Amino acid sequence: MTEFIDVPGGRIAYEVTGSGPLVVLSHGIGDRRQVYRFLAPILAQTGYRVANADLRGHGESSMGWASITRTDIAGDLLALIDHLGGPAVIVGHSISGGAATITSATRPEQVTGVVEINPFTRKQSVDLGAFLRIRRYRRGISLLTGTQVFHSLGLWLRYLDLAYPAKPGDYAGYMAALAAKLREPGRMAEFIKTFKSKPADASAQLPNIKCSALVIKGTLDPDFADPQAEGDAVIAAMPAGAGTVAMIDGAGHYPHAQSSDAVAELVIPFLKEHAGV
């Protein structure tokens, strides 16, 4: 059942399943909370209260936001934790990985751990050599750039096709529903706002993270020339011993949907250590 919480500038949609220590899930840009449709029930069945939220401007959350930055998203997630009764472990994908970093650095009493799935947490620049050498990376950057420049749903869907090297059984239906959501008046405009957000705010907070972190990377993520190296760099910017990197072989940018069992095998031990149960 969808519930809503009011935050400055609008309202955030979310749903809660299960009972136990709180785990908050936050998806990436141009998506909706149902991307966690496989992982959320696994975590709930393991003994956690799972709050799965739509980003501002996405899914069932309201539109018309002044901005959609990692700092904005961090504030929304912390408001949700305060509302539900924290502390919580935050699982954030892509832009939300950066937001999770910010939450830990700014409100450590409410965040006992962060899981960052293929996060955009560090400042990024295009690796021109890799752009020429690595087709996966070249196609990913080109499709993301085209989506931003032309406000193109078609290019975004082509990017998603690339970003899922293997497709879950319901992929076609999921993407049809996502496309229908993004065709709603105003939704693409909200999505495009996310491209204006750069990860400098999250990158600056990496040395200030106050909890343990698990960074999960897909070996075939088209957003990064070298996913392993990017994960290692995120951890290296944290305080010594704060984080670890885990790679999922054959996964793209969405391992929580493509390879949910493999993600659960990594996340559940982390939760047992940092959230209880």
Side-chain angles (χ1 to χ4, degrees):
M1 182 182 69
T2 303
E3 301 180 71
F4 297 92
I5 180 174
D6 292 325
V7 299
R11 65 178 189 168
I12 300 299
Y14 69 96
E15 60 184 323
V16 178
T17 56
S19 60
L22 182 61
V23 178
V24 174
L25 309 181
S26 187
H27 63 81
I29 67 172
D31 212 339
R32 54 194 193 127
R33 68 180 189 268
Q34 287 80 3
V35 74
Y36 286 111
R37 62 198 179 278
F38 304 122
L39 182 62
I42 295 173
L43 300 184
Q45 290 162 14
T46 304
Y48 295 95
R49 180 169 50 129
V50 180
N52 190 6
D54 282 318
L55 290 187
R56 52 172 59 195
H58 292 62
E60 295 179 85
S61 291
S62 63
M63 293 186 282
W65 300 89
S67 62
I68 306 177
T69 68
R70 289 157 182 80
T71 297
D72 294 331
I73 296 165
D76 297 339
L77 295 175
L78 287 167
L80 181 58
I81 293 170
D82 289 341
H83 175 69
L84 294 175
V89 171
I90 296 177
V91 179
H93 172 239
S94 199
I95 192 173
S96 290
T101 290
I102 295 169
T103 65
S104 171
T106 58
R107 293 280 306 281
E109 75 282 358
Q110 285 291 58
V111 183
T112 60
V114 295
V115 178
E116 303 191 16
I117 302 175
N118 286 325
F120 273 93
T121 303
R122 296 192 321 124
K123 295 179 182 179
Q124 298 292 316
S125 60
V126 175
D127 183 331
L128 293 178
F131 186 85
L132 296 174
R133 295 192 314 272
I134 304 171
R135 183 172 183 267
R136 160 186 56 79
Y137 179 61
R138 181 170 63 250
R139 290 183 64 204
I141 295 299
S142 298
L143 289 168
L144 287 172
T145 301
T147 299
Q148 178 182 8
V149 171
F150 299 109
H151 296 195
S152 171
L153 175 58
L155 290 176
W156 177 241
L157 294 175
R158 285 175 59 189
Y159 162 78
L160 291 171
D161 186 65
L162 172 68
Y164 282 81
K167 311 293 193 282
D170 66 347
Y171 180 84
Y174 181 81
M175 289 302 161
L178 177 60
K181 173 59 66 175
L182 290 171
R183 289 190 185 100
E184 291 178 358
R187 284 294 173 197
M188 275 298 292
E190 294 296 292
F191 167 30
I192 295 301
K193 289 176 185 177
T194 64
F195 285 99
K196 299 177 182 178
S197 168
K198 306 305 179 185
D201 52 355
S203 185
Q205 292 290 6
L206 280 168
N208 303 320
I209 195 168
K210 301 296 197 302
C211 65
S212 294
L214 170 63
V215 174
I216 298 174
K217 301 288 292 182
T219 61
L220 298 182
D221 185 348
D223 292 29
F224 302 98
D226 186 338
Q228 173 81 62
E230 178 62 24
D232 290 342
V234 170
I235 295 302
M238 295 178 181
T244 58
V245 180
M247 303 299 297
I248 298 183
D249 190 46
H253 194 58
Y254 298 83
H256 46 304
Q258 178 194 331
S259 309
S260 55
D261 287 343
V263 171
E265 289 176 2
L266 295 169
V267 171
I268 289 171
F270 182 85
L271 293 178
K272 288 182 177 179
E273 183 174 356
H274 300 291
V277 181

